[in-house]
Amino acid sequence: MSTSTVPNFPNVPNTVMPRPHDIGGQASTASTAERAPQAPVRLAHGLLAIRNADGSVTLQPTQPLTLQAEELEALVNDLAGLRASMDPPYPLDCPPLCALEPCYSPRHWVACDPLTGKILIFLRHHLFGWLGIVQTPEASLEMLKSVAVEMKNLEWSEDDPKRALH
């Protein structure tokens, strides 16, 4: 993956942060409630990210950007890491299906990592490219059970036209 932890966005446990490009920053000891202005972080292709006192982020291009697909992908990854560090955090609950951009029948890849004993799941999203998930075998089994329940619901709805799909 092309991102790494950056000390400019403190107090964000277990998140992937945008990688710094030429501009460094010192780790802040300020709590999330009392944010002090922080040094800008240079994202991919010279875009500066400045964390504001109110928790928002100002993005400032240092020059006009003309990007190829690979360069835009690097910038999207940096922006995703930046979003992961912001408040409010991503909601734990899934939003309504109408609010999502679904990916129908994505390519996928699944493997077991023998070094960690974890299950690796990669899905190719049509907007965001390959998305990776690493989870325990138990969590993978729970996911499989959830899919099986929805498959059963689908079977029931095909048998009985009055049953709605979930």
Side-chain angles (χ1 to χ4, degrees):
M1 188 164 263
S2 61
T3 57
S4 61
T5 303
V6 172
N8 296 59
F9 300 111
N11 306 318
V12 185
N14 302 321
T15 57
V16 176
M17 307 304 293
R19 63 189 182 281
H21 300 276
D22 302 327
I23 292 181
Q26 299 298 321
S28 171
T29 58
S31 72
T32 307
E34 54 180 70
R35 290 191 178 106
Q38 297 176 358
V41 171
R42 187 175 306 275
L43 303 179
H45 312 291
L47 188 66
L48 293 178
I50 302 162
R51 178 67 62 112
N52 301 315
D54 67 356
S56 65
V57 172
T58 299
L59 299 176
Q60 184 177 32
T62 56
Q63 60 188 11
L65 295 176
T66 302
L67 304 174
Q68 299 297 324
E70 296 82 15
E71 297 167 324
L72 188 58
E73 183 175 355
L75 183 56
V76 167
N77 284 333
D78 281 354
L79 291 172
L82 190 58
R83 171 59 184 102
S85 73
M86 295 178 73
D87 284 327
Y90 289 114
L92 292 178
D93 295 326
C94 186
L97 291 178
C98 62
L100 297 174
E101 176 70 34
C103 183
Y104 295 96
S105 300
R107 290 186 68 186
H108 66 279
W109 179 76
V110 178
C112 177
D113 182 352
L115 296 176
T116 64
K118 307 284 186 189
I119 304 296
L120 310 172
I121 302 171
F122 291 90
L123 299 171
R124 188 180 181 279
H125 192 275
H126 65 286
L127 296 177
F128 301 107
W130 285 97
L131 305 173
I133 299 168
V134 178
Q135 55 187 18
T136 64
E138 295 80 13
S140 296
L141 186 57
E142 283 301 312
M143 181 185 285
L144 184 60
K145 287 178 184 177
S146 298
V147 170
V149 166
E150 293 306 316
M151 295 282 295
K152 188 67 175 167
N153 288 339
L154 183 60
E155 289 174 18
W156 289 339
S157 67
E158 289 175 349
D159 294 341
D160 181 1
K162 295 177 188 170
R163 271 189 111 102
L165 291 177
H166 295 274

